[in-house]
Amino acid sequence: MNKDNMLEETVEKDLHIAESPEMVEGAVEESAPEIEILFEDDDVVAIHKPAGLLVHRSYLARRERFFAMQLTRDKVGCHVFPVHRLDRPTSGVLLFAKSSEMANKLCEQFEAKTVDKHYLAIVRGNMHDADTLDYALKVELDDLGDKDVDPNKAAQDAVTSYQPLLNAEIPYPSGRYATSRFALVKLTPHTGRKHQLRRHMAHLRHPIVGDTTHGDGKQNKFFREHFSMNRLWLIAKHLCFDHPRSGERITIETELEEQWFTLFEAFGWDDDKLATDRSYLIV
């Protein structure tokens, strides 16, 4: 299937997948999540996607009512075309094109690896050294969505750079130790495999907090109970690409949600502490 057909199929799903009776029955009235437009012109639009919001409609999530693609379309007043993905639990910068032509040009940039993407994550344990992990990943298959994919497909190249920024140790046990350690890490994926950042950090034994698939269940439970926060602590913070029409290099940066600053304060990473205790800073 070529790119045009793939893009048209995604838009077609967004327009025509009807809510099934079981979606409507027993549905609780809820308001649409708020999306913030970070950048918009005649050709592209970038939003801040909240954690927990799907990018577009899917037969695998028929009970969902709200999708980033539909909410963006309604907000800007025209159809939008996805050019990359963010996992449902990941928040941050999400880019759409306003035409299939612009979408194809942007997709080519992602395929050519000329788009710069940076994420921030909270991970288990303290980290001290920046490095690049080159560790191939087997394809993760969904029972329904990937039923025609060869389960024996060879592992795909996957490369991620990581840079620890801040460390914390708090006097509360979340496992067998009397204290709990965490780190704030900048992650830069150089390839785009499914759950790449989550799987690579788990491979390094520093799983991202809140990851229910590849993470540490004890740490996740600790965050839910101690901080009353239940989310994946991963945000797409920065996206840089060439404008598909003008060629101008565009940089989009989003702000951290308020939850992050609440957590930073609990970790001792408030402004006053950082001004007097540089031991929290790694770089």
Side-chain angles (χ1 to χ4, degrees):
M1 180 182 293
N2 63 36
K3 290 178 189 171
D4 286 328
N5 289 339
M6 291 175 66
L7 291 166
E8 289 171 3
E9 179 179 313
T10 304
V11 174
E12 190 75 11
K13 283 183 180 180
D14 186 57
L15 292 172
H16 296 298
I17 293 180
E19 293 181 341
S20 60
E22 60 270 22
M23 290 173 63
V24 178
E25 184 179 350
V28 178
E29 279 297 321
E30 57 179 322
S31 58
E34 182 63 29
I35 60 169
E36 177 189 358
I37 294 180
L38 304 173
F39 177 88
E40 183 185 7
D41 64 13
D42 292 340
D43 299 305
V44 300
V45 56
I47 68 163
H48 179 105
K49 184 187 85 66
L53 181 66
L54 286 165
V55 172
H56 57 71
R57 295 182 187 273
S58 167
Y59 287 105
L60 301 177
R62 296 182 65 84
R63 291 184 179 274
E64 297 301 316
R65 293 183 57 200
F66 302 112
F67 308 88
M69 188 172 167
Q70 161 235 331
L71 294 174
T72 304
R73 177 198 68 199
D74 293 347
K75 194 153 191 171
V76 302
C78 67
H79 298 317
V80 294
F81 298 75
V83 296
H84 69 124
R85 298 287 186 269
L86 283 183
D87 291 341
R88 178 178 183 171
T90 304
S91 65
V93 181
L94 180 64
L95 181 65
F96 294 101
K98 291 186 175 181
S99 69
S100 60
E101 177 190 2
M102 296 297 105
N104 283 331
K105 291 182 177 182
L106 286 167
C107 286
E108 289 171 357
Q109 291 186 47
F110 279 94
E111 291 173 3
K113 300 181 176 63
T114 60
V115 178
D116 295 328
K117 297 175 287 182
H118 302 298
Y119 294 71
L120 289 179
I122 300 291
V123 303
R124 181 187 71 185
N126 286 175
M127 297 186 72
H128 301 279
D129 300 314
D131 205 345
T132 296
L133 176 64
D134 186 345
Y135 180 74
L137 297 171
K138 292 279 289 182
V139 177
E140 285 190 337
L141 303 178
D142 295 315
D143 291 340
L144 182 59
D146 297 318
K147 62 182 179 180
D148 297 323
V149 178
D150 180 6
N152 298 314
K153 184 178 180 179
Q156 299 173 301
D157 292 341
V159 182
T160 301
S161 294
Y162 55 92
Q163 179 184 11
L165 302 176
L166 296 163
N167 280 327
E169 182 172 5
I170 57 177
Y172 304 101
S174 55
R176 56 181 175 172
Y177 300 108
T179 61
S180 298
R181 294 180 177 182
F182 303 98
L184 176 69
V185 184
K186 175 183 175 181
L187 300 174
T188 303
H190 303 292
T191 51
R193 308 308 177 198
K194 184 176 181 180
H195 296 171
Q196 176 176 314
L197 298 180
R198 296 157 66 178
R199 296 169 74 185
H200 269 178
M201 294 314 295
H203 176 75
L204 292 171
R205 302 295 187 265
H206 291 286
I208 298 174
V209 177
D211 185 350
T212 58
T213 305
H214 307 284
D216 182 333
K218 291 181 179 179
Q219 299 286 347
N220 297 344
K221 181 179 179 183
F222 171 74
F223 261 65
R224 291 194 302 269
E225 295 179 349
H226 185 80
F227 296 114
S228 299
M229 296 181 184
N230 184 21
R231 63 161 291 168
L232 176 69
W233 290 92
L234 178 66
I235 182 171
K237 191 74 171 58
H238 170 106
L239 185 71
C240 189
F241 60 95
D242 294 333
H243 192 279
R245 187 178 299 278
S246 69
E248 177 187 359
R249 194 68 174 169
I250 304 293
T251 298
I252 300 172
E253 189 96 16
T254 192
E255 297 295 325
L256 296 172
E257 298 100 348
E258 191 60 35
Q259 284 179 312
W260 290 79
F261 296 106
T262 300
L263 187 64
F264 288 179
E265 186 173 359
F267 283 173
W269 295 344
D270 59 283
D271 292 341
D272 291 339
K273 181 68 174 178
L274 291 176
T276 57
D277 188 353
R278 305 300 291 180
S279 66
Y280 282 88
L281 294 173
I282 304 302
V283 294

